[in-house]
Amino acid sequence: MSNESKITKAEKEKYIIQFKNVTQRYPNGTKALKNVNLNIEKGEFVFIVGASGAGKSTLVKLLMREEKICGGELRVNGFDLKRMSSFRVPILRRTVGVVFQDYRLLPKLTAYENIAFAMHMIGEPKSEIDKRVKAFLRLVNLDDKANSFPHELSGGEQQRVALARAVINKPAIILADEPTGNIDPMMSVEMMELLCKFNKWGTTVVVVTHDKNLVDYYSKRVVTINNGKITSDKQGGMFDED
Ligand code: ADP
């Protein structure tokens, strides 16, 4: 490997997420990412946009270590994702709160239990769980839905349960995959306002989306992927449809 593709110590200190010359190929030969370089600093808010098939999901899967990186270097919150062993993956995932497009709530658990579950998993004491889950339910405006099951909630409400669950263990990074994909515009605004609130409190937020209105309205950093390559990266950018 050339020195050029190595991540330096200064870069490690500066960036919470760093893709360096990342190339990702699926077993059938499809190159989903081609020489991607992307640096995200702690506390940034970044939109990642691009057409269907551009490589956005692949990027998310790499960040979560759902796929193992093929070529290049990737560091997330101090973890070297190329070299880390599988048993450390849960530790990485604890530092990245993910909001999935399809929510992925546990259907047989209530809103309260879905959120509490994430804290049980890391062995938090019951009293702390109850206190924090109630506070987060209030934060996402769902205190009156604590005992509702996912099928009793609207799309926007399920999305907010998913957000509360993603942030309950105070991750350094929130990764939201199409957070407004299945919800109406009013709910999209509420979801975005919550993401902005967590960002103001210091959490790095990465939102993958194809929602042009959202991206143009919020005027944040916009990284565009096209056919596996980053084709633009602008502060206060607009959704580039070309
Ligand atoms: P996006 O999320 O932007 O729609 P993806 O990351 O899902 O894009 O896909 C990028 C490219 O990789 C596409 O050409 C897609 O067909 C291909 N791809 C995605 N997942 C797989 C897979 N598991 N096996 C083979 N090719 C894949």
Side-chain angles (χ1 to χ4, degrees), residues 63-95:
L63 281 174
M64 291 305 297
R65 191 45 147 66
E66 276 183 23
E67 292 281 346
K68 205 170 172 191
I69 172 176
C70 300
E73 299 281 317
L74 174 58
R75 285 184 69 87
V76 178
N77 207 17
F79 293 90
D80 175 345
L81 270 64
K82 189 161 190 183
R83 291 168 192 89
M84 76 189 286
S85 52
S86 310
F87 75 87
R88 295 190 73 209
V89 172
I91 310 171
L92 161 79
R93 292 193 183 150
R94 229 174 272 165
T95 73

Side-chain angles (χ1 to χ4, degrees), residues 48-236:
I48 297 187
V49 305
S52 178
K56 304 183 300 296
S57 307
T58 303
L59 208 103
V60 169
K61 284 184 201 155
L62 287 181
L63 281 174
M64 291 305 297
R65 191 45 147 66
E66 276 183 23
E67 292 281 346
K68 205 170 172 191
I69 172 176
C70 300
E73 299 281 317
L74 174 58
R75 285 184 69 87
V76 178
N77 207 17
F79 293 90
D80 175 345
L81 270 64
K82 189 161 190 183
R83 291 168 192 89
M84 76 189 286
S85 52
S86 310
F87 75 87
R88 295 190 73 209
V89 172
I91 310 171
L92 161 79
R93 292 193 183 150
R94 229 174 272 165
T95 73
V96 186
V98 187
V99 185
F100 297 99
Q101 184 175 10
D102 54 0
Y103 322 130
R104 300 196 196 176
L105 299 177
L106 297 165
K108 295 204 167 106
L109 299 186
T110 63
Y112 179 102
E113 290 163 347
N114 261 283
I115 302 165
F117 187 72
M119 288 184 77
H120 279 300
M121 291 296 283
I122 62 165
E124 294 279 6
K126 245 185 160 158
S127 57
E128 176 63 20
I129 293 178
D130 189 57
K131 204 164 65 192
R132 212 187 305 164
V133 172
K134 282 182 177 150
F136 275 69
L137 276 165
R138 238 185 337 270
L139 191 69
V140 299
N141 298 324
L142 283 177
D143 25 3
D144 56 337
K145 302 282 182 182
N147 297 319
S148 300
F149 290 92
H151 73 271
E152 298 169 324
L153 298 170
S154 72
E157 289 165 346
Q158 290 184 57
Q159 187 70 301
R160 278 179 282 141
V161 175
L163 175 62
R165 180 187 56 182
V167 295
I168 196 78
N169 290 325
K170 304 182 178 164
I173 301 165
I174 301 175
L175 183 55
D177 191 5
E178 297 287 359
T180 59
N182 297 320
I183 55 181
D184 63 48
M186 278 297 288
M187 285 296 158
S188 301
V189 171
E190 186 160 359
M191 184 68 188
M192 274 302 295
E193 294 301 324
L194 283 166
L195 288 170
C196 289
K197 192 179 268 186
F198 287 113
N199 181 239
K200 274 201 192 96
W201 291 341
T203 315
T204 306
V205 177
V206 178
V207 176
V208 175
T209 185
H210 61 248
D211 188 336
K212 175 174 168 34
N213 291 335
L214 197 78
V215 171
D216 292 350
Y217 181 77
Y218 279 94
S219 190
K220 304 275 189 191
R221 177 177 172 194
V222 182
V223 174
T224 307
I225 308 187
N226 233 318
N227 196 17
K229 291 185 183 150
I230 292 185
T231 51
S232 93
D233 185 346
K234 291 183 200 146
Q235 279 298 342

